[in-house]
């Protein structure tokens, strides 16, 4: 099982999505778990804008092409 979490101000780990929260809810209270922590690099706003622009323009580009 893999769960994404973020560190809260009170030093607890909070699930990121509802899927992660559902996975955490399946654990019994007081049950010990072993964690392997890996950090993710912050997302690049520039790359997100580039992806969003390409995703939004794709239907316009493909709709305007003529098939021979």
């Amino acid at each position: 099982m893999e769960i994404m979490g973020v560190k809260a101000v009170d030093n607890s780990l909070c699930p990121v999505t509802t899927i992660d929260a559902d996975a955490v809810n399946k654990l019994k209270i007081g049950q010990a778990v072993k964690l392997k922590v890996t950090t993710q690099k912050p997302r690049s706003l520039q790359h997100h804008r580039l992806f969003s622009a390409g995703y939004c323009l794709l239907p316009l580009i493909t709709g305007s092409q003529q098939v021979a």
Side-chain angles (χ1 to χ4, degrees):
M1 171 184 341
E2 186 172 299
I3 301 170
M4 292 288 295
V6 293
K7 183 180 175 183
V9 177
D10 63 353
N11 285 333
S12 63
L13 292 174
C14 298
V16 175
T17 65
T18 55
I19 295 171
D20 297 325
D22 290 341
V24 170
N25 288 334
K26 291 178 183 177
L27 300 172
K28 295 179 182 179
I29 294 177
Q31 179 180 1
V33 293
K34 182 178 181 179
L35 302 174
K36 179 179 180 182
V37 178
T38 57
T39 58
Q40 292 192 339
K41 295 180 182 177
R43 296 177 183 223
S44 169
L45 181 60
Q46 183 180 7
H47 284 101
H48 277 281
R49 286 182 180 161
L50 181 63
F51 175 79
S52 296
Y55 187 74
C56 293
L57 293 176
L58 187 61
L60 299 174
I61 294 169
T62 58
S64 64
Q65 292 179 348
Q66 295 179 359
V67 178

